[in-house]
Amino acid sequence: MTVPGDSEPPASLELTPAEWGMWQAFRNGSTHDLRSHNPVHDDPDGQYHWGPERSVRARVVALLLLDGPPPQPGRVTSLKLNGAYITGTLDVSGGAVEPYVEMHNCRFEKEILLPEAHFSTLRLVGCRIPRVEGARLRTEGDLHLPRCTVENGIRLTDAQIGTDLLLNQLTVHRDRKGRSIVADGLNVAQDIQAEMIESYGEISLRGAQVGVSLSLRGSRLRNPHGRRALNAPQLTVERTLYLTAAGLSSSPFASGTTPPYGVTTTPMRGTRMQRFECEGGVRLDDGRFGDAVDFEQARFVMESDQELSLRRIQTPEMRFLCERPQRGRVVLSGAKVVNLVDRATSWPGPGGLAMAGFSYECLIPRGSFSMARRLEWIAAATPEYAPEPYEQLSNAMRASGEDAEAREVLLAKQRRRRETLPLAGKLWGYLQDWTVAYGYRPGRAALWMGVLWAVGALLFGRLEPDAISSEGAPTWNPYLYALDLLLPVINLGQDTFWKMQGAYQWAAAVMILLGWVLATTVAAGASRLLRRQ
């Protein structure tokens, strides 16, 4: 039962007319609109001065949130402001805020302090705020900051958001340490929508956990004063991380609709797109992504010492369909991907790619991606010879049923390995490559065998040699004799019965040697195929 006088503000507050209207609107759950309805005058980011007629003190707002009056009969208390100028520092640190809070188009004189506060739902839409300090903030529902401008950064370290975190079209500048958003250890039960945001500093999401998806579609991240624009090692996203383009005309914000609605529809054909752009390094090391990591149409502008670092990430699918970075490096060392969806024009050139220990099971190219380009892709990632990338590509080709391409990759591996051998090894390698392509093209061995057999038959057909022994000597047959020399294991009963002299003796020795070369090379190639390497 309400105690008489509980609904009245303390006399010491001396409420202004704007504050008195806010007090009454709080009790009946309605919106207190202080706008002039002149778009130029109502712009929170504009230069127009907001006077006492639309100013409310932050201490009065905090009193309503933490210990406000009871609702009018049949109503629910809530703080809904539109076009208000909140003077002073709004400080509800450590407090439990039960009323629903929604502020539109408001201008804050000083920062908002929310550390360790507990809200049901907090929505700040289209506001101008010097800074948001919300370490260990907890909400049962959403936290919304769409279309806001934050001048000195946002801190949400170890915050827990009960449903969604909505930051669409947010503009946020860096704090004194060069960071625009610090949300290390952030836990969001559902989605983080940060689409078409403008960030001028480092976004830090170390160890953050997202229950559904994290979308940065169409966003522009810039950090000209630091090493990284997005620093999110050990990030966990249960479904998909989107660093892709956004359709501008498909955005509900374009028609002025109010959150919680996000940019979730698929753009129609012909829709003007805004790509994801990042000026500065990106770090996603040790990340876990339940469905995919999507880079379609993304653009990364990096300096020579900056990286798009994807070390040891794990995801069922990675869509590397971005614009080719002109500088910096793409690092995939230790990453594990099931499906790699990529485009030949997306990968950087030599010196710009590292993928030692990078594993994938299936390649899904977009557009033309020939085997020659694939081999260039591997060469770009291995300035020094390493067998693993070649074997990984060969396994992927074989898993897709492309056995001929798999053998082509392994042949390229042997040729690359040959460059690291001493002179004798290089000569032996060139001989194997020229004759039978290291055993990966067995048809070439049969061709050489036939050529040598024909040459030997013609050569030895010009003479009738003397038998070593008159007993048991077969009839002289130059064709069988040449074939017996070439086959190192099979005995056709010719080469041991005839005595060769002079140049013919040397010719026989050369044919025996070439026969062994062909046989051993083919045997080595066959053993590789049997081991499926």
Side-chain angles (χ1 to χ4, degrees):
M1 183 174 180
T2 303
V3 178
D6 281 353
S7 61
E8 299 298 324
S12 60
L13 281 179
E14 298 180 355
L15 298 184
T16 65
E19 293 170 345
W20 178 255
M22 177 179 66
W23 191 278
Q24 296 302 321
F26 176 84
R27 293 191 62 211
N28 61 33
S30 61
T31 299
H32 187 43
D33 193 344
L34 294 170
R35 292 176 299 170
S36 66
H37 300 289
N38 182 323
V40 176
H41 295 177
D42 291 335
D43 183 6
D45 294 323
Q47 301 300 316
Y48 190 79
H49 176 70
W50 290 7
E53 72 281 359
R54 57 194 307 177
S55 299
V56 296
R57 288 170 291 174
R59 59 175 294 206
V60 179
V61 174
L63 177 61
L64 290 174
L65 295 179
L66 298 175
D67 193 19
Q72 292 182 355
R75 306 305 295 266
V76 176
T77 58
S78 61
L79 182 66
K80 298 179 182 178
L81 294 176
N82 200 334
Y85 180 39
I86 292 89
T87 61
T89 300
L90 179 57
D91 186 355
V92 293
S93 302
V97 179
E98 295 183 1
Y100 172 86
V101 182
E102 183 170 325
M103 300 185 187
H104 288 253
N105 309 307
C106 293
R107 183 185 292 175
F108 289 79
E109 180 186 24
K110 296 183 178 179
E111 63 183 349
I112 300 176
L113 300 179
L114 309 173
E116 302 190 31
H118 186 184
F119 283 80
S120 55
T121 294
L122 175 59
R123 292 178 179 167
L124 305 176
V125 182
C127 299
R128 185 175 185 86
I129 311 168
R131 177 172 172 79
V132 176
E133 178 65 53
R136 297 174 297 281
L137 168 70
R138 289 190 300 144
T139 68
E140 299 297 329
D142 299 341
L143 172 61
H144 290 184
L145 292 166
R147 304 202 305 275
C148 287
T149 299
V150 183
E151 301 169 3
N152 296 298
I154 299 172
R155 185 181 182 192
L156 294 173
T157 305
D158 296 319
Q160 298 185 31
I161 309 303
T163 50
D164 297 323
L165 174 60
L166 182 62
L167 305 174
N168 292 341
Q169 295 179 303
L170 169 73
T171 300
V172 56
H173 298 267
R174 63 193 183 102
D175 60 15
R176 290 176 295 178
K177 295 184 178 180
R179 298 175 297 185
S180 57
I181 299 176
V182 183
D184 301 338
L186 172 69
N187 190 312
V188 178
Q190 295 185 20
D191 292 304
I192 296 181
Q193 290 192 28
E195 303 183 355
M196 294 188 289
I197 72 171
E198 298 273 351
S199 170
Y200 298 92
E202 179 184 292
I203 296 179
S204 182
L205 293 168
R206 293 170 175 263
Q209 298 186 30
V210 183
V212 185
S213 294
L214 169 54
S215 176
L216 285 159
R217 293 184 179 98
S219 294
R220 293 173 177 172
L221 313 184
R222 297 179 176 89
N223 187 16
H225 304 285
R227 183 178 178 83
R228 300 183 182 93
L230 176 60
N231 187 22
Q234 299 180 336
L235 172 65
T236 300
V237 179
E238 293 297 328
R239 296 193 65 180
T240 302
L241 170 63
Y242 295 99
L243 304 180
T244 61
L248 297 182
S249 64
S250 69
S251 169
F253 294 149
S255 59
T257 56
T258 302
Y261 308 106
V263 187
T264 57
T265 58
T266 301
M268 296 183 296
R269 186 174 181 179
T271 298
R272 188 164 65 93
M273 305 295 290
Q274 177 172 302
R275 68 170 67 192
F276 171 84
E277 293 185 0
C278 181
E279 296 182 15
V282 176
R283 184 185 180 199
L284 297 172
D285 298 350
D286 300 295
R288 301 293 182 266
F289 307 94
D291 283 353
V293 179
D294 196 344
F295 296 105
E296 187 162 7
Q297 299 186 41
R299 182 171 182 260
F300 298 95
V301 180
M302 298 180 285
E303 298 300 328
S304 299
D305 61 342
Q306 294 175 333
E307 296 178 343
L308 169 56
S309 181
L310 305 170
R311 292 176 173 87
R312 299 176 299 280
I313 70 165
Q314 295 185 20
T315 180
E317 183 166 294
M318 185 171 75
R319 303 164 195 154
F320 199 83
L321 303 168
C322 60
E323 179 182 304
R324 173 180 291 162
Q326 299 302 314
R327 293 187 299 275
R329 292 203 313 158
V330 177
V331 183
L332 287 161
S333 302
K336 294 183 179 180
V337 175
V338 178
N339 297 326
L340 177 59
V341 184
D342 63 348
R343 186 182 289 118
T345 56
S346 295
W347 295 105
L353 178 62
M355 54 183 187
F358 175 43
S359 66
Y360 48 89
E361 297 181 13
C362 183
L363 290 171
I364 307 174
R366 292 274 186 91
S368 176
F369 207 149
S370 65
M371 181 52 62
R373 297 292 296 274
R374 280 289 178 199
L375 295 176
E376 291 176 1
W377 174 60
I378 292 180
T382 53
E384 297 182 356
Y385 167 72
E388 293 85 1
Y390 291 94
E391 293 169 0
Q392 179 65 53
L393 178 57
S394 174
N395 291 337
M397 292 290 100
R398 188 173 291 110
S400 301
E402 306 289 345
D403 288 338
E405 285 77 3
R407 290 193 295 271
E408 190 72 23
V409 174
L410 295 177
L411 175 57
K413 182 187 79 168
Q414 293 296 330
R415 288 170 174 168
R416 184 76 183 279
R417 176 178 174 272
R418 183 176 65 207
E419 298 174 2
T420 66
L421 299 177
L423 180 59
K426 288 182 179 179
L427 294 176
W428 175 244
Y430 279 117
L431 180 61
Q432 292 188 85
D433 194 358
W434 185 54
T435 53
V436 293
Y438 288 95
Y440 292 113
R441 295 175 183 171
R444 187 183 293 183
L447 177 62
W448 277 108
M449 190 72 73
V451 170
L452 291 173
W453 183 27
V455 171
L458 290 175
L459 179 63
F460 295 119
R462 296 180 178 183
L463 79 160
E464 293 184 4
D466 296 331
I468 296 175
S469 174
S470 58
E471 297 180 1
T475 303
W476 167 247
N477 188 325
Y479 300 99
L480 289 179
Y481 182 77
L483 187 59
D484 205 0
L485 293 175
L486 288 172
L487 297 178
V489 178
I490 301 174
N491 186 1
L492 300 179
Q494 287 285 333
D495 61 339
T496 58
F497 286 94
W498 306 104
K499 182 192 298 184
M500 294 293 165
Q501 296 180 349
Y504 292 99
Q505 186 178 18
W506 284 102
V510 169
M511 292 193 67
I512 292 173
L513 178 62
L514 291 177
W516 273 105
V517 169
L518 291 173
T520 55
T521 306
V522 170
S527 66
R528 294 191 192 103
L529 294 177
L530 291 174
R531 288 180 296 165
R532 301 188 66 82
Q533 293 183 357

